[in-house]
Amino acid sequence: MTAIGLPDMSPPRAPTDRIDPDEVFMARALELAAHAEAEGEVPVGALVIHAGEIVGEGWNRPIVSHDPTAHAEIQALRDAGRHIGNYRLVDTTLYVTLEPCVMCAGALIHARVARLVYGASDPKGGAAGGVFDLLPPDGRFNHRMECRGGVLAQECSAQLRVFFSRRR
């Protein structure tokens, strides 16, 4: 009813709170990071999306696997490659809770990932502006990708901060 008692005849409003798909997938990456923490690893989680569906997931496992390359991003890329049946992950998006390091940035470029979305920045080792600017790659690389940082950054940072505070 309007202020004068007549029914409101205006068209319904569209919801103003749109769901950001990047936040939905980053929330899943946070869940994956919890798996790493449960194994005593630094809590970083990653997943690969193709056509709106998860095709690869991973979390940090270098300590338990005795493999320095077993970062969350590498684990997710490997899983996606097996799922898709190709090492080229064209038209995919990788979500990760922490800005990728140089090794993982290189893997993203070689896999031809179209888009990177990360949560917390890494001012000590990040390769998407934290320390290095490899992502999005500059013109010297034969592949370019879109890059978005800061998605659920507070939640991603808090998960890491709590983990490290418990270890001190």
Side-chain angles (χ1 to χ4, degrees), residues 32-107:
L32 295 169
H35 290 292
E37 185 170 9
E39 293 180 356
E41 301 276 0
V42 175
V44 179
L47 55 114
V48 178
I49 303 298
H50 182 260
E53 293 188 26
I54 297 172
V55 294
E57 294 184 328
W59 55 87
N60 266 2
R61 302 199 81 226
I63 297 168
V64 298
S65 67
H66 309 290
D67 179 357
T69 69
H71 289 193
E73 300 94 324
I74 303 297
Q75 301 288 72
L77 292 173
R78 288 175 179 158
D79 193 33
R82 284 188 294 269
H83 182 86
I84 291 173
N86 195 335
Y87 73 104
R88 297 280 195 219
L89 303 176
V90 179
D91 297 325
T92 60
T93 299
L94 183 127
Y95 291 85
V96 62
T97 57
L98 181 65
E99 179 183 356
C101 69
V102 172
M103 174 185 70
C104 293

Side-chain angles (χ1 to χ4, degrees), residues 88 109-110 112 137-145:
R88 297 280 195 219
I109 293 166
H110 287 289
R112 304 298 192 265
D138 63 31
R140 294 175 286 183
F141 290 107
N142 62 347
H143 175 68
R144 290 173 184 76
M145 76 183 68

